[in-house]
Amino acid sequence: MPFVELDTNLPAARVPAGLEKRLCAATAAILGKPEDRVSVTVRPGLAMAVGGLADPCAQLTVSSIGVVGTAEQNRDHSARFFEFLTKELQLGQDRPGRLARKGRL
């Protein structure tokens, strides 16, 4: 069962309605798992800084056993999550640290 946690310093009012449901569906598609087995938590309005800057940012943690077999697959998953969240949260791609990616896949 994949567990996904999205932390962001964006205020709740700026997080798109239904993001948790779309992130759940995206996670299932990206990881190739059934959507009914994915657990998603979204935490907006946190005090966060990336690279010493408190610009709008997000951090995604993905935990799942037995999903990734290679580093290449992990990079592909990370890139797909990055694309999804950058678009959904309207974060600029000019500074890669705006969406911090970490995970245990």
Side-chain angles (χ1 to χ4, degrees):
M1 171 184 272
F3 294 93
V4 177
E5 298 176 15
L6 176 64
D7 295 329
T8 182
N9 61 358
L10 294 174
R14 194 165 150 213
V15 174
L19 174 63
E20 68 284 353
K21 293 176 185 175
R22 290 188 301 282
L23 181 53
C24 188
T27 299
I30 290 168
L31 301 181
K33 296 287 187 180
E35 190 172 342
D36 65 347
R37 304 300 258 171
V38 176
S39 175
V40 171
T41 303
V42 176
R43 291 193 270 305
L46 300 175
M48 294 177 66
V50 175
L53 300 174
D55 294 348
C57 64
Q59 177 175 286
L60 182 71
T61 304
V62 179
S63 302
S64 187
I65 297 172
V67 173
V68 175
T70 67
E72 185 175 319
Q73 287 172 309
N74 193 6
R75 282 189 295 273
D76 177 62
H77 293 160
S78 292
R80 292 172 68 190
F81 278 118
F82 181 83
E83 180 181 343
F84 173 82
L85 289 172
T86 299
K87 179 181 175 185
E88 284 282 337
L89 297 177
Q90 299 178 358
L91 296 174
Q93 293 188 17
D94 57 319
R95 192 167 64 89
R98 285 203 179 143
L99 181 63
R101 296 171 278 182
K102 71 177 190 176
R104 294 172 295 277
L105 293 173

